[in-house]
Amino acid sequence: MLHKRLAWLACGLAFALAGCSGDQDPTDPPGSDVEPPTSATAPDFIVGPYLQAPASDQMTVMFETGESNAEVWVRPFDGKGEFTRVSAESHSLDGLVRKAPIHQLSSNTLYEYYVVTKVLGEQRATPRYAFKTWPQAGDGVEQARIIALSDTQLDRDEYAKVLTNVVNQGFLQHECDAAQPQICAENIAAITISGDVVQVGGNRQNWREQLFGSLAAITPYVPLVTVPGNHDYYSDAELRLYRTYMAPPENGSIGYEDKWYYLDYLDLRLVGLDSYSISGAHGAFNRDTLAVQRQWLKETLNDAEVQGRHFVLGMFHHGCLSEMWNVGESIGSCEMVAELEQYSARTGAVTGHLFGHTHAYSRGQSRDVNHLWLNAASASGYIEPLDDADHQAKQIRDYDTFEISRSEFGYNLLTFHFGDAPTMTLERKKGGFDGDTEFSVVDSLTFSVEDNINLPLVTAGTGEQDASAVELGVQVAMPEAVRAVHWQVSESAEFDGVVYDIWGNGTRRQNLYYGPADEVEGDHESGYVAIDTQADADIFNLKLSDSSVRVGGDDYYRWNKRYSEQNTHTSSYDAYAGQSRPELALRPGTTWYWRARVRDAHMNWSAWSDVASFDIAGTRTNNLIVNGDAEAGDMSGWALQKGMMNAITANDNGGFGPAEGTYYFAGRGFGKGAPSDCCEEQVIQEIDLSAYATEVDAGHAYAEFSAMLSTWSGADEPRLQLTVLDAGGAELAWVGDDVLTSKSSQSWKARQVSGQLPSGARTLRVSMGGVRKAGNDNDVYFDDLKLFLYY
């Protein structure tokens, strides 16, 4: 049978890796006080030994066999003393998968172990294997090395050897020693797989052959740490086989123990999460599961903060942002990223997250904190077609967050240095397909927390400027030490209003991405060749007039996905709650303030430069809206279209006060009477633009519309819109015609749209109102409406 042939091969490989030579029995270390178990026949494994749930005082050995009375014999690797014999309990319904949790071990200690079975009274034993317990404080350990993989599934036969090559030609040659596999146990703390562990989770042969067959040379020595991906749910909605073969620590939420958990290695907390059930595309979005997992993550991070962890690494399958496959993104994953970033912001720790789903390597970093974004693929999953124009048009986007994307096979090595100056270093090693097995380092980056004294000084971008030719400039004492520049522009000298951040692809030393499909070099076997879009770029000067900038940058794409099935919910992390965001427009008659800071090679920011300012020649009108703040105490200036709108005070609304002044606008009710029809309100105000027709038609006129919005409980829906009309009253399209709304409860949220007015615009119509969804009153509130014209 196939599993017997695999068992024979695994056994032979294990003996070879144990270093047998001459007449010496590799299972009999010299000088042992107690003889190790021996037998003429090794156990017949369906899946050979592999390690789970590592800790400083325990390790779990698992395997699959039809043989009975299975035990694991374990003792320190020096081969002296008695064995601890641990019964391997059943971990599957059919009794074939066995689990032997070994407790009360010493920390930071190399152990030898043997799997022993009995067949018809005959003892069978494996050769010697080894594992090393994780250290604890006081053991003198200064670093940890973790191999990060993703997408180990085999979805095309031509890639059948990729994962085996990654192990045998990569791990065993570059990270340890194939002739002395116990060195793997000492050199590598864990191997992580960020989902899509197998091709079809409900296919048992996929587990036995594709995964464990390919990893057989190293899994007896190094713990395997995994999270499920969408493929692991295929044909197995309850993750029955995933939970059969994987046994992580049971410290997750009750009822979800196998789906999320954490492991601690000294100052590092590794948090495994399940992104499938909180995803839209390639998942089954479940709001309750999202709430439970997110709350557990918050508590787990709070605990890490109490313990002073300097490193926290999240691990899940679906990407928050994914340059090479946009449809693989998930808002739920972005919420987990936000929690990790907030931990870094609160504590100063280095954080990061490992993901996959996209079969390419991508490495990025958060803008404001030391947080690594690492797409750890592909370890076997097929390489996506970067030379296909349709794929490029529909599936890829060059995000500012990512500095490098490479379509290739390979693996990642993360090295954590502990102590007074903690660092995290990433190395990417490319290879896997036959003929591409050198596994050379193609990317490296070290995160540390240290001072960056390279303060930028302003050299250009002051005084009166032409809106079409604004250029900002800085200089630093050590330009060679700068990896990236971050620019901020605002109409507020304190940067406490709307702030535009220019950071990412065009402001750093390198940006590896892909050119047009017909120019892409490479193939789907060894990978496609990325190009550096920043080659020879001057990052110390910014042509602001050429920049297309939206508030928040990539933050917009976190919460607004490309395809409808991905937009599962409006996230509470989204400051704009799914609404449009202001876009930079250098309008005539405005004054702008700006500053810059620089990032070093280890991701540390300098202080901000001094604040500089420039003026755009032109004029700004007064507020064109009559009674936009409701301070007239009535609806003067507004024409009723539907229902009823009112000017009310805090006393009319149980103490909920205005954004400014005494009065604000509200829907029907509040002691003001209520029309019998249900349930929409609308008032309008039209502003005549005929006095500005020359500027409008010349393309020199910009409109800026802003307001404060709120609700009582988030149930009723406020609606506010600025519409542009021509001389005949027909609507004209323009960039600011979005309907503005808010779900904010008894707190005011600012909403704003702005942009150039189209030629022929003669009237601006402001529409204010909303729809009652619950209760008797229509709890839609507005205040401080402003409309300015710039020309």
Side-chain angles (χ1 to χ4, degrees):
M1 295 176 63
L2 177 60
H3 73 265
K4 289 187 177 180
R5 293 198 299 271
L6 289 173
W8 180 85
L9 289 171
C11 177
L13 179 59
F15 273 103
L17 293 178
C20 50
S21 61
D23 297 327
Q24 180 179 331
D25 185 342
T27 67
D28 187 8
S32 61
D33 295 331
V34 177
E35 294 297 316
T38 60
S39 66
T41 305
D44 186 7
F45 289 120
I46 303 171
V47 171
Y50 60 99
L51 304 175
Q52 292 279 282
S56 61
D57 60 352
Q58 65 183 44
M59 186 72 73
T60 296
V61 178
M62 296 184 69
F63 49 87
E64 185 175 11
T65 182
E67 297 179 1
S68 61
N69 300 315
E71 292 181 331
V72 174
W73 295 24
V74 60
R75 68 179 177 184
F77 194 79
D78 60 12
K80 300 180 183 297
E82 296 285 345
F83 284 96
T84 298
R85 296 167 60 167
V86 180
S87 176
E89 62 199 43
S90 174
H91 198 249
S92 61
L93 294 176
D94 57 15
L96 295 177
V97 178
R98 305 295 184 87
K99 180 178 78 170
I102 307 167
H103 301 284
Q104 298 181 327
L105 299 172
S106 298
S107 63
N108 194 40
T109 300
L110 186 66
Y111 285 89
E112 64 176 10
Y113 73 95
Y114 305 79
V115 178
V116 179
T117 63
K118 285 188 177 179
V119 177
L120 300 176
E122 174 195 8
Q123 176 174 288
R124 296 183 175 183
T126 64
R128 179 170 61 160
Y129 296 117
F131 65 74
K132 190 172 186 179
T133 50
W134 284 7
Q136 61 184 9
D139 284 339
V141 175
E142 297 181 351
Q143 75 170 31
R145 300 168 84 236
I146 291 175
I147 290 175
L149 306 176
S150 189
D151 295 73
T152 48
Q153 85 268 24
L154 176 61
D155 40 30
R156 293 185 182 177
D157 290 341
E158 63 190 298
Y159 301 137
K161 293 184 179 180
V162 169
L163 185 54
T164 302
N165 289 339
V166 167
V167 173
N168 295 332
Q169 305 301 318
F171 304 167
L172 295 178
Q173 298 300 320
H174 296 272
E175 316 309 335
C176 47
D177 185 346
Q180 301 181 75
Q182 71 273 11
I183 293 178
C184 296
E186 297 200 80
N187 284 6
I188 307 169
I191 297 170
T192 66
I193 303 177
S194 302
D196 280 4
V197 182
V198 296
Q199 173 65 6
V200 178
N203 184 324
R204 200 156 187 177
Q205 288 304 108
N206 282 184
W207 291 91
R208 291 169 171 172
E209 298 174 15
Q210 292 180 11
L211 180 69
F212 293 113
S214 297
L215 296 174
I218 198 165
T219 46
Y221 305 95
V222 180
L224 196 59
V225 178
T226 68
V227 292
N230 54 295
H231 278 266
D232 306 315
Y233 275 90
Y234 290 170
S235 300
D236 194 6
E238 300 301 319
L239 285 184
R240 181 182 57 84
L241 283 181
Y242 180 91
R243 291 184 289 110
T244 291
Y245 285 104
M246 299 291 112
E250 295 184 355
N251 52 20
S253 306
I254 296 174
Y256 299 91
E257 293 88 350
D258 296 319
K259 293 190 175 184
W260 48 83
Y261 59 91
Y262 69 87
L263 295 162
D264 287 334
Y265 188 111
L266 294 178
D267 235 1
L268 165 66
R269 174 156 291 184
L270 178 61
V271 185
L273 299 158
D274 181 4
S275 59
Y276 177 83
S277 51
I278 63 173
S279 172
H282 308 101
F285 180 68
N286 186 304
R287 192 176 300 274
D288 292 339
T289 300
L290 173 63
V292 173
Q293 183 171 210
R294 194 169 69 178
Q295 180 60 31
W296 176 86
L297 178 58
K298 286 177 177 287
E299 294 169 359
T300 299
L301 294 178
N302 286 339
D303 177 69
E305 186 173 354
V306 169
Q307 297 188 36
R309 305 282 179 195
H310 288 114
F311 302 102
V312 176
L313 203 62
M315 177 180 161
F316 43 86
H317 185 61
H318 297 73
C320 165
L321 300 175
S322 184
E323 279 202 332
M324 299 289 96
W325 196 41
N326 300 161
V327 77
E329 298 175 1
S330 164
I331 290 176
S333 294
C334 290
E335 294 185 344
M336 295 188 288
V337 172
E339 286 290 340
L340 291 163
E341 289 175 325
Q342 289 173 17
Y343 179 88
S344 182
R346 292 195 307 269
T347 66
V350 175
T351 59
H353 69 278
L354 314 177
F355 66 101
H357 208 28
T358 305
H359 299 169
Y361 168 72
S362 290
R363 188 264 296 164
Q365 49 275 334
S366 297
R367 188 188 67 202
D368 296 324
V369 295
N370 280 5
H371 180 93
L372 168 70
W373 297 58
L374 176 59
N375 184 338
S378 171
S380 187
Y382 77 95
I383 291 179
E384 284 140 355
L386 271 299
D387 59 349
D388 181 272
D390 187 62
H391 180 83
Q392 282 208 7
K394 297 178 180 178
Q395 295 294 351
I396 72 173
R397 178 181 283 129
D398 192 5
Y399 287 121
D400 287 320
T401 300
F402 290 98
E403 182 174 335
I404 292 178
S405 282
R406 297 173 57 95
S407 179
E408 65 191 22
F409 294 114
Y411 68 94
N412 313 278
L413 181 66
L414 288 163
T415 304
F416 298 86
H417 287 276
F418 307 108
D420 295 335
T423 64
M424 177 179 71
T425 297
L426 162 70
E427 289 184 319
R428 170 67 176 185
K429 301 189 178 184
K430 175 186 181 298
F433 197 83
D434 286 356
D436 182 27
T437 55
E438 293 185 3
F439 293 97
S440 56
V441 176
V442 295
D443 183 32
S444 64
L445 175 66
T446 296
F447 285 81
S448 66
V449 179
E450 55 195 39
D451 291 334
N452 179 353
I453 61 172
N454 212 7
L455 182 67
L457 301 176
V458 172
T459 60
T462 61
E464 187 167 291
Q465 300 283 321
D466 184 336
S468 63
V470 178
E471 185 168 334
L472 315 181
V474 294
Q475 65 180 16
V476 294
M478 298 176 287
E480 70 283 352
V482 175
R483 191 184 195 100
V485 182
H486 176 197
W487 312 78
Q488 280 192 333
V489 179
S490 177
E491 290 185 86
S492 165
E494 290 75 32
F495 296 87
D496 56 0
V498 175
V499 177
Y500 298 93
D501 294 278
I502 302 97
W503 167 83
N505 296 334
T507 70
R508 56 177 170 245
R509 292 290 187 189
Q510 69 170 348
N511 182 61
L512 262 64
Y513 192 64
Y514 285 85
D518 58 359
E519 298 177 11
V520 171
E521 298 179 1
D523 54 50
H524 68 282
E525 296 174 347
S526 296
Y528 296 99
V529 180
I531 60 173
D532 186 358
T533 65
Q534 281 292 93
D536 302 320
D538 176 7
I539 63 173
F540 298 108
N541 289 280
L542 174 69
K543 294 182 179 180
L544 188 62
S545 300
D546 296 342
S547 303
S548 177
V549 185
R550 174 167 43 199
V551 165
D554 280 353
D555 186 69
Y556 171 83
Y557 296 109
R558 295 192 189 197
W559 319 117
N560 299 273
K561 297 304 181 186
R562 191 165 190 168
Y563 298 103
S564 59
E565 63 269 24
Q566 299 169 274
N567 291 298
T568 51
H569 62 292
T570 299
S571 176
S572 60
Y573 295 83
D574 179 9
Y576 282 79
Q579 293 297 291
S580 59
R581 301 180 179 216
E583 296 190 19
L584 179 64
L586 299 175
R587 305 175 306 280
T590 54
T591 298
W592 294 87
Y593 301 89
W594 68 273
R595 58 186 181 179
R597 59 178 178 169
V598 297
R599 202 171 207 174
D600 65 19
H602 295 163
M603 297 294 111
N604 298 291
W605 286 111
S606 70
W608 289 103
S609 68
D610 290 338
V611 176
S613 66
F614 61 87
D615 302 312
I616 303 297
T619 302
R620 187 186 85 163
T621 67
N622 294 324
N623 186 4
L624 298 178
I625 297 177
V626 176
N627 191 25
D629 54 9
E631 292 305 305
D634 56 29
M635 297 304 299
S636 57
W638 297 90
L640 181 65
Q641 303 295 299
K642 298 177 183 178
M644 173 180 284
M645 291 290 291
N646 307 289
I648 69 172
T649 67
N651 290 334
D652 297 318
N653 200 17
F656 174 46
E660 56 85 30
T662 303
Y663 292 89
Y664 60 103
F665 297 114
R668 72 184 70 196
F670 309 102
K672 304 289 185 178
S676 58
D677 64 317
C678 183
C679 299
E680 185 175 354
E681 334 289 350
Q682 184 187 28
V683 294
I684 64 170
Q685 186 171 149
E686 295 189 344
I687 292 92
D688 183 11
L689 296 179
S690 57
Y692 311 102
T694 300
E695 290 80 7
V696 168
D697 293 345
H700 297 159
Y702 295 78
E704 179 184 85
F705 176 51
S706 63
M708 305 296 287
L709 284 71
S710 188
T711 73
W712 183 263
S713 65
D716 297 336
E717 180 184 344
R719 293 178 178 176
L720 190 64
Q721 186 175 25
L722 181 65
T723 306
V724 179
L725 309 177
D726 64 15
E731 292 187 12
L732 298 176
W734 82 297
V735 297
D737 60 3
D738 292 346
V739 175
L740 306 180
T741 188
S742 173
K743 290 186 176 296
S744 178
S745 301
Q746 300 181 56
S747 64
W748 293 98
K749 291 295 182 184
R751 294 289 182 260
Q752 177 181 312
V753 293
S754 62
Q756 182 178 347
L757 290 174
S759 177
R762 293 297 180 266
T763 301
L764 296 179
R765 175 185 291 162
V766 180
S767 174
M768 176 174 64
V771 179
R772 189 184 78 197
K773 302 284 188 177
N776 295 319
D777 297 336
N778 193 351
D779 297 296
V780 295
Y781 312 129
F782 307 88
D783 202 358
D784 200 22
L785 277 71
K786 295 176 181 177
L787 174 60
F788 298 106
L789 204 64
Y790 299 82
Y791 58 92

